[in-house]
Amino acid sequence: MHGQDIAIPLGRTLCVTPKATAAGADRAVEVGWPVWNRHRLDGVRLIAGDIGWTFGRGSEIRGPALALLLLVTGRAAGLARPPGRESPSCRPGSKPPPAHRPKSSNHSAEAAPETQ
């Protein structure tokens, strides 16, 4: 979770397996005091269509599993992902999307003349 807190606002992608995301979500929704109010999710149904994970009953909140996991753990970074965008994940045979890299400046590769 802490890596996602940093990566998402920077436009980076951290690869997370669907199994790990589901396990994290299963644990996060059960955590109560002293971390969170155990009833914070009462009346809410979370639906992660990208991995087939659901939790709770009530008003539906749909989104990618990783975004919902960030939301459940109180991370504002989860709100940075547009609705419907799949969470970065590792699937057998797939490559994670390339990380965002800032554009380099157009400085000349030539060395500056030495001064004495």
Side-chain angles (χ1 to χ4, degrees):
M1 295 310 314
H2 300 294
Q4 299 296 344
D5 292 336
I6 297 166
I8 291 172
L10 294 175
R12 304 270 172 129
T13 298
L14 294 180
C15 192
V16 181
T17 66
K19 184 176 181 178
T21 304
D26 286 339
R27 177 69 181 123
V29 297
E30 297 299 326
V31 173
W33 186 89
V35 181
W36 296 295
N37 177 341
R38 182 168 294 283
H39 300 285
R40 73 193 183 286
L41 299 173
D42 288 355
V44 174
R45 179 166 176 79
L46 303 172
I47 302 170
D50 58 338
I51 65 169
W53 180 87
T54 62
F55 173 82
R57 294 182 185 170
S59 300
E60 292 184 355
I61 299 175
R62 295 175 179 267
L66 188 55
L68 293 178
L69 175 54
L70 289 164
L71 179 70
V72 167
T73 57
R75 267 53 179 210
L79 302 174
R81 293 224 179 261
R85 180 177 173 187
E86 278 200 26
S87 58
S89 59
C90 298
R91 295 191 188 343
S94 70
K95 295 180 183 176
H100 170 76
R101 302 216 187 264
K103 292 181 180 180
S104 62
S105 60
N106 291 331
H107 294 296
S108 172
E110 297 178 53
E114 289 185 29
T115 57
Q116 295 186 5

